[in-house]
């Protein structure tokens, strides 16, 4: 432990909190979303502004401490925390400031998706972000970011207008298309490799406040037919219509018959951003995929839908995820999916795929670091469980599925869904953008001080 280092230099003039092992707030402050990760940093520095970040970086460098950065603490690989290092924790910097006239928002890096959506929706505005409201806007944005608005408005990074970045040499830089444009290119997908972001500026769009959304559920015995029909249908739908697939044991939702509770099921969430009438016609077509076991649709506030999956994704469980990109889903890939849903190791495990065709596919691969512009479906295997004794079974299930389905996947990988043991996948994830990322990393962080991420290693 490095707790005997004198912190006076850091605390002098520091506006935030410095938390050390043994302090009252330490145990709470070191918790992150994935309970598999159990690290004990020497210092947790809860910054309150960018000057605090500069002090924290200088202090870490002087005392030879590893640096990690925590936005919302959701990253599955647990990169926001390490043993004996200094964690820059943004949980006290959550402000979201909207300019309704310009349809833009400045966002501090500790804001969660809930903080963001609730503030921008006061003005009837939104931008594409993820589907679990406790996720951090910072990590999500830096790796790409997708959600229910992606078909229509692109990835989160496609809507990032500028950022304020504190570099490892303690400089505060503005990054946008004109200023430090190489840095701006890199942070739009390149993760936390290049500096510490202290502010994000996003473009916003009129959305809601009401959307039409809900769930259509089929019994798993119809999986082959339903999944094929879904695949052929979804590619014909307009961009304001979204339907994804969740394959899991059915939770005891009130609109589902008891006979299906805790049995494998096909859940088709649907989100219709506008043109509800056309959307309802499309839902009617979806009912014909098989014999639905239940459904629950209606108009609701956009922010409610953005929080609808939170109960399934609460913090504190053990998690191991794997993910592939697909340009199409062949019959054979669906067969492998069905095979592994039939072997779900726990009732919390699931497979999920999102259909993201649309705006993101129109952006050139080299426009920014995020490269997966041919991606139409993203598939994520959520291994999720409670006790350590189950680690091996669940991890093996996720890995086996991942390996067996790899031959059907397209190039690239989503860095935000990568676990800690996928370091050799990073260059593949960035494909033809990797070399440029490496050059920019060499310029802004040549000694790889920011290495707790899906690392672009310059050494
Ligand atoms: C339940 C759940 C649901 C999800 N749903 C979606 C989804 O719908 N769409 C989607 O696109 N992704 C989704 N994700 C993935 C998510 O985007 C990543 O886990 C992301 O890393 C979370 O960001 P965070 O700030 O919460 O993470 P953290 O763990 O806090 O940070 C992750 C990494 O980001 C970097 N970082 C964070 N803040 C900063 C900063 N201020 N400056 C520089 N670097 C920083 C650091 O390298 C850090 O290690 C989901 C994840 C979970 C666990």
């Amino acid at each position: 432990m490095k707790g005997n280092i004198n912190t006076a230099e850091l605390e002098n003039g520091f506006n935030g909190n410095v938390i050390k092992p043994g302090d009252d707030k330490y145990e709470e402050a070191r918790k992150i979303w994935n309970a598999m990760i159990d690290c004990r940093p020497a210092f947790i520095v809860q910054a309150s502004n960018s000057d605090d970040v500069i002090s924290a970086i200088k202090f870490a460098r002087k005392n030879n401490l590893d640096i990690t950065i925590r936005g919302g603490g959701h990253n599955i690989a647990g990169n926001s925390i390490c043993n004996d290092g200094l964690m820059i924790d943004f949980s006290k910097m959550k402000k979201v400031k909207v300019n309704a006239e310009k349809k833009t928002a400045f966002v501090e890096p500790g804001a969660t998706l809930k903080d963001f959506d609730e503030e921008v929706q006061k003005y009837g505005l939104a931008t594409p972000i993820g589907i679990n409201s406790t996720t951090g806007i910072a990590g999500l944005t830096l790796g790409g970011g997708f959600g229910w608005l992606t078909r229509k408005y692109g990835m989160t990074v496609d809507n990032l207008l500028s950022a304020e970045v504190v570099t490892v040499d303690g400089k505060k830089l503005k990054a946008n298309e004109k200023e430090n444009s190489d840095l701006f290119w890199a942070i739009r997908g390149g993760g936390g490799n290049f500096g510490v972001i202290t502010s994000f500026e996003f473009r916003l769009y009129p959305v809601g406040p009401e959307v039409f959304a809900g769930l259509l559920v089929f019994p798993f015995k119809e999986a082959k037919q339903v999944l094929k029909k879904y695949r052929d249908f979804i590619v014909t739908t307009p961009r304001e219509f979204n339907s994804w697939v969740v394959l899991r044991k059915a939770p005891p939702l009130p609109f589902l018959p008891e006979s299906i509770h805790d049995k494998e099921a096909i859940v088709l969430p649907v989100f219709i951003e506008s043109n509800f009438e056309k959307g309802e016609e499309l839902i009617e077509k979806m009912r014909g995929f098989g014999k639905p076991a239940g459904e629950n649709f209606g108009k609701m506030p956009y922010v409610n839908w953005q929080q609808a999956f939170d109960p399934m994704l609460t913090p504190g469980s053990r998690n191991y995820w794997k993910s592939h990109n697909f340009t199409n889903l062949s019959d054979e890939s669906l067969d492998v999916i069905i095979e592994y849903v039939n072997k779900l190791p726990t009732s919390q495990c699931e497979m999920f795929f999102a259909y993201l065709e649309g705006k993101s596919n129109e952006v050139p691969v080299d426009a920014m670091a995020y490269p997966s512009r041919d991606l139409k479906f993203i598939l994520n295997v959520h291994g999720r469980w409670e006790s350590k004794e189950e680690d091996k079974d669940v991890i093996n299930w996720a890995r086996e599925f991942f390996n067996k389905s790899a031959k059907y996947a397209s190039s690239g990988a989503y860095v935000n869904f990568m676990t800690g043991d996928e370091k050799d996948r990073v260059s593949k994830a960035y494909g033809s953008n990797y070399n440029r990322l490496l050059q920019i990393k060499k310029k802004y962080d040549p000694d790889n001080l920011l290495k707790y991420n899906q690392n672009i290693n310059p050494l």
Side-chain angles (χ1 to χ4, degrees):
M1 267 292 170
K2 299 184 176 176
N4 53 350
I5 295 171
N6 181 0
T7 54
E9 205 175 321
L10 171 65
E11 281 161 324
N12 195 5
F14 192 80
N15 288 300
N17 305 318
V18 179
I19 302 172
K20 295 180 284 253
D23 290 353
D24 285 353
K25 294 179 182 156
Y26 183 77
E27 290 305 321
E28 195 51 38
R30 75 180 185 89
K31 271 190 201 150
I32 61 166
W33 187 81
N34 185 359
M36 289 277 279
I37 315 293
D38 182 19
C39 292
R40 302 185 65 82
F43 300 97
I44 299 174
V45 173
Q46 293 181 329
S48 67
N49 55 40
S50 48
D51 289 336
D52 284 353
V53 173
I54 293 172
S55 307
I57 291 176
K58 284 187 179 157
F59 175 80
R61 292 192 71 159
K62 187 171 173 195
N63 293 291
N64 213 14
L65 293 162
D66 282 353
I67 299 170
T68 67
I69 314 164
R70 184 192 199 281
H74 256 242
N75 193 264
I76 203 75
N79 283 327
S80 62
I81 193 162
C82 70
N83 283 318
D84 296 336
L86 179 147
M87 174 163 84
I88 299 174
D89 171 4
F90 281 115
S91 58
K92 305 289 174 218
M93 286 178 68
K94 289 167 163 275
K95 279 196 220 89
V96 178
K97 202 168 157 221
V98 178
N99 183 328
E101 211 171 293
K102 284 169 71 183
K103 297 196 181 62
T104 57
F106 282 97
V107 184
E108 288 188 335
T112 61
L113 306 192
K114 179 173 190 279
D115 298 324
F116 178 84
D117 277 334
E118 288 186 348
E119 190 58 28
V120 297
Q121 274 288 284
K122 287 181 187 163
Y123 306 87
L125 298 169
T127 211
I129 53 172
I131 62 147
N132 173 222
S133 81
T134 55
T135 309
I137 197 96
L140 176 119
T141 302
L142 294 169
F146 71 84
W148 295 108
L149 296 172
T150 290
R151 286 196 72 192
K152 194 159 177 191
Y153 297 121
M155 302 290 292
T156 311
V157 271
D158 297 336
N159 295 292
L160 184 67
L161 296 172
S162 72
E164 182 185 79
V165 187
V166 173
T167 54
V168 289
D169 52 2
K171 289 199 191 96
K172 209 188 296 183
L173 300 181
K174 185 123 179 131
N176 56 36
E177 290 288 2
K178 292 199 178 111
E179 293 165 86
N180 303 300
S181 58
D182 55 349
L183 183 59
F184 188 53
W185 185 92
I187 61 170
R188 285 176 293 162
N193 272 287
F194 305 93
V196 184
I197 317 301
T198 45
S199 171
F200 297 87
E201 183 191 10
F202 294 103
R203 181 187 301 121
L204 306 173
Y205 306 89
V207 171
E210 273 203 324
V211 297
F212 191 93
L215 306 177
L216 177 61
V217 181
F218 291 93
F220 200 69
K221 61 176 191 281
E222 297 181 9
K224 203 159 188 167
Q225 157 193 341
V226 171
L227 291 179
K228 278 189 194 169
K229 287 190 176 174
Y230 163 85
R231 173 199 60 193
D232 297 341
F233 160 84
I234 195 66
V235 298
T236 66
T237 57
R239 290 179 181 179
E240 63 271 15
F241 183 88
N242 287 266
S243 175
W244 297 358
V245 179
V246 182
L247 302 159
R248 64 173 348 268
K249 296 202 175 177
L253 296 168
F255 64 89
L256 291 178
E258 257 179 53
S259 57
I260 199 178
H261 292 177
D262 208 32
K263 304 269 176 2
E264 291 79 7
I266 308 162
V267 183
L268 302 179
V270 176
F271 167 80
I272 304 167
E273 184 261 331
S274 57
N275 201 352
F276 298 167
E277 223 168 274
K278 168 81 181 158
E280 287 191 65
E281 277 171 30
L282 292 171
I283 291 175
E284 180 54 26
K285 287 194 181 165
M286 291 175 68
R287 290 186 185 104
F289 292 173
K291 285 199 188 94
E295 66 170 67
N296 184 24
F297 286 108
K299 283 187 193 163
M300 66 186 78
Y302 171 72
V303 287
N304 289 19
W305 180 247
Q306 283 289 87
Q307 295 170 22
F309 294 89
D310 289 0
M312 314 298 288
L313 296 166
T314 48
S317 294
R318 302 174 81 76
N319 283 271
Y320 182 86
W321 293 11
K322 284 286 197 188
S323 171
H324 280 308
N325 293 344
F326 291 88
T327 48
N328 57 53
L329 292 170
S330 62
D331 286 358
E332 292 79 9
S333 66
L334 294 177
D335 288 342
V336 182
I337 290 170
I338 293 168
E339 181 188 343
Y340 280 83
V341 176
N342 272 318
K343 299 185 203 168
L344 290 171
T346 74
S347 61
Q348 294 190 72
C349 289
E350 61 185 27
M351 284 200 204
F352 126 96
F353 49 92
Y355 180 63
L356 300 178
E357 181 283 333
K359 192 80 182 164
S360 169
N361 302 120
E362 293 169 4
V363 180
V365 170
D366 62 357
M368 62 187 82
Y370 175 80
S372 300
R373 301 302 180 170
D374 63 346
L375 176 155
K376 300 282 166 60
F377 296 92
I378 184 162
L379 184 145
N380 203 351
V381 191
H382 292 180
R384 191 171 153 87
W385 67 105
E386 295 303 322
S387 78
K388 214 172 175 170
E389 289 67 51
E390 294 167 291
D391 284 9
K392 207 167 148 213
D393 284 352
V394 186
I395 291 172
N396 283 347
W397 168 78
R399 282 187 183 150
E400 249 184 47
F401 168 76
F402 174 80
N403 292 334
K404 208 158 169 182
S405 54
K407 61 181 166 200
Y408 308 112
S410 52
S411 61
Y414 186 37
V415 289
N416 272 350
F417 284 161
M418 276 161 49
T419 45
D421 56 7
E422 295 190 281
K423 303 244 179 289
D424 56 346
R425 222 180 157 205
V426 177
S427 63
K428 286 190 197 122
Y430 290 112
S432 57
N433 285 345
Y434 185 73
N435 278 341
R436 185 163 179 209
L437 280 166
L438 197 56
Q439 295 317 312
I440 300 172
K441 177 79 173 177
K442 282 180 182 160
K443 177 173 167 188
Y444 288 98
D445 183 20
D447 299 322
N448 205 17
L449 296 178
L450 301 175
K451 59 175 181 276
Y452 290 88
N453 40 46
Q454 294 304 344
N455 195 227
I456 295 159
N457 190 344
L459 301 174

